[in-house]
Amino acid sequence: MSTPAVQDYDVDPIWSSSRTARQIHDLGKVEKDIGRLLSLASSSLALLSLPQTDAPDAGLPQGDERSEQFVAEVGQYFETLDGIQTALRSSLAHIRSERIPPAVLTAPPTGFVPPPQGVGLPLPPAGHAPAAPSTNAGAGNDGDTKPKAKTRGLLEERVERDAWRGVLDALGRLRDARRAEVAAEAGGRTAED
């Protein structure tokens, strides 16, 4: 890459976990390099303008220094452009070598809702009512009292189960604490009497 200022030792280890992760990290660097490339193009064009048109606070050099700085800026511009080109070609080669289908790389259609994660039960064919009401039954959904088809996967079911267990455990501890408070108050009243 053309940015030697970025050190590899300060990169999060997640980006070195696989070749794909490294490619994604490299594409992130390309994105930053494109911004740098545009900045270099801007400063190069400013150096090409006539010195009389410079703003007083531009801080651009005059005379021969101006042409020397232009040559340096253009050199950095082409070095950055070469780095971007190399990284993009490397990413495309990776996509080709992994045989990733182009359909995976396209954006989903507008309004697309991804399927639930995890292993789930297949939906019953259209027109058939589910055998038993599921936990996704929509009481209060536009007055609809019919049970809805179960569309959550195993992972979602486990997360919900664990959440309800946590709620039950917290309520049990709260109940026990209140009973202990009541018992302590009752014990304090009998000692006073």
Side-chain angles (χ1 to χ4, degrees):
M1 228 31 203
S2 65
T3 55
V6 177
Q7 300 294 328
D8 288 334
Y9 62 83
D10 62 351
V11 174
D12 191 343
I14 190 77
W15 296 116
S16 60
S17 62
S18 69
R19 183 173 180 212
T20 303
R22 285 190 298 275
Q23 289 292 326
I24 292 170
H25 183 263
D26 289 345
L27 285 174
K29 286 185 188 177
V30 166
E31 184 179 12
K32 291 178 184 173
D33 281 348
I34 289 173
R36 184 170 180 258
L37 186 73
L38 293 173
S39 173
L40 287 169
S42 172
S43 62
S44 296
L45 289 175
L47 289 168
L48 282 177
S49 66
L50 295 173
Q52 296 87 350
T53 60
D54 292 344
D57 59 344
L60 294 173
Q62 301 296 322
D64 289 339
E65 290 179 20
R66 192 177 187 101
S67 61
E68 289 173 7
Q69 187 172 353
F70 172 75
V71 170
E73 295 277 332
V74 168
Q76 288 179 354
Y77 175 87
F78 283 111
E79 182 182 320
T80 304
L81 184 62
D82 186 48
I84 291 171
Q85 178 183 0
T86 303
L88 289 177
R89 285 186 178 188
S90 171
S91 295
L92 287 173
H94 173 70
I95 289 170
R96 286 186 191 120
S97 71
E98 294 295 323
R99 298 178 185 233
I100 298 172
V104 173
L105 302 175
T106 58
T110 305
F112 173 74
V113 177
Q117 301 296 318
V119 179
L121 299 173
L123 293 175
H128 291 87
S134 71
T135 57
N136 290 349
N141 291 342
D142 300 328
D144 186 15
T145 57
K146 291 188 276 182
K148 298 212 185 269
K150 187 173 188 173
T151 59
R152 289 190 301 203
L154 181 62
L155 178 64
E156 287 87 357
E157 293 291 334
R158 286 182 176 174
V159 167
E160 183 180 16
R161 178 200 64 199
D162 292 343
W164 281 113
R165 283 183 180 168
V167 168
L168 182 62
D169 181 48
L171 288 173
R173 284 183 285 151
L174 183 61
R175 180 195 63 210
D176 294 342
R178 286 198 178 157
R179 284 182 182 168
E181 286 177 11
V182 169
E185 287 178 9
R189 283 189 209 150
T190 56
E192 291 175 4
D193 293 343

